[in-house]
Amino acid sequence: TQLLEQSPQFLSIQEGENLTVYCNSSSVFSSLQWYRQEPGEGPVLLVTVVTGGEVKKLKRLTFQFGDARKDSSLHITAAQPGDTGLYLCAGVAFYGGSQGNLIFGKGTKLSVKP
Amino acid sequence: EAGVTQFPSHSVIEKGQTVTLRCDPISGHDNLYWYRRVMGKEIKFLLHFVKESKQDESGMPNNRFLAERTGGTYSTLKVQPAELEDSGVYFCASSQDGLVGNTIYFGEGSWLTVV
């Protein structure tokens, strides 16, 4: 069974601090996505990374896909209260399954205090 | 443009009863997916439709779950008979195509509680 271990599970920081969320697996993924979910809503796609070593930036968010395509990280610079939410990583298995057959991590619940 | 809509948003049923969840994907999206998250666990894939055909149903837990997408538009997920462990939130999602990098849009979820 493929698993995506996400850490930390919970993170509470002050506005202006930096943070990194990690997503690790012993399996190789063909692509990996990061989602953000707010209470009462479904996950919203932030980014998809496909190439090993790929780095993508989305304003203050930086996403990296590991060289071996087994891990990924999300770094937020100067966090703001609006960044509060549940961050989920999800991977597509390298062998078999459709693109929608996503393997999700359990999520990181981020709280940014003003 | 309307997003993915799911009905009902919340449902409380007794063990042994039947529940049918409905999903309306974004108009024009051929790909429709069902996922669920049970308490304390990660979101898990259930199945994938391309139009009215089941492309991948490897995540369906057992034969108490039946998904349909007649006509390739909306989809239903029926749980019959419901068990306590079926409680959780059921997400539907859709995408225009199934290619890498294509955005999958999620609905708000249908919360199911089996008592």
Side-chain angles (χ1 to χ4, degrees), chain A residues 28-40:
Chain A
V28 176
F29 292 95
S30 64
S31 65
L32 198 135
Q33 299 180 328
W34 284 91
Y35 290 83
R36 181 177 159 200
Q37 185 181 9
E38 303 211 38

Side-chain angles (χ1 to χ4, degrees), chain A residues 1-5 24-30 69-70 91-97 101-105, chain B residues 42-44:
Chain A
T1 304
Q2 290 182 291
L3 287 173
L4 266 175
E5 299 289 341
N24 296 294
S25 177
S26 58
S27 303
V28 176
F29 292 95
S30 64
R69 298 160 84 167
K70 293 182 179 181
V92 178
F94 195 76
Y95 297 108
N101 190 335
L102 296 170
I103 297 162
F104 279 87
Chain B
E42 66 276 13
I43 296 173
K44 285 199 172 173

Side-chain angles (χ1 to χ4, degrees), chain A residues 24-62:
Chain A
N24 296 294
S25 177
S26 58
S27 303
V28 176
F29 292 95
S30 64
S31 65
L32 198 135
Q33 299 180 328
W34 284 91
Y35 290 83
R36 181 177 159 200
Q37 185 181 9
E38 303 211 38
E41 297 182 7
V44 175
L45 180 67
L46 296 174
V47 78
T48 300
V49 284
V50 180
T51 307
E54 183 176 3
V55 177
K56 279 192 175 178
K57 292 194 175 185
L58 190 66
K59 295 183 182 178
R60 294 176 293 100
L61 277 60
T62 302

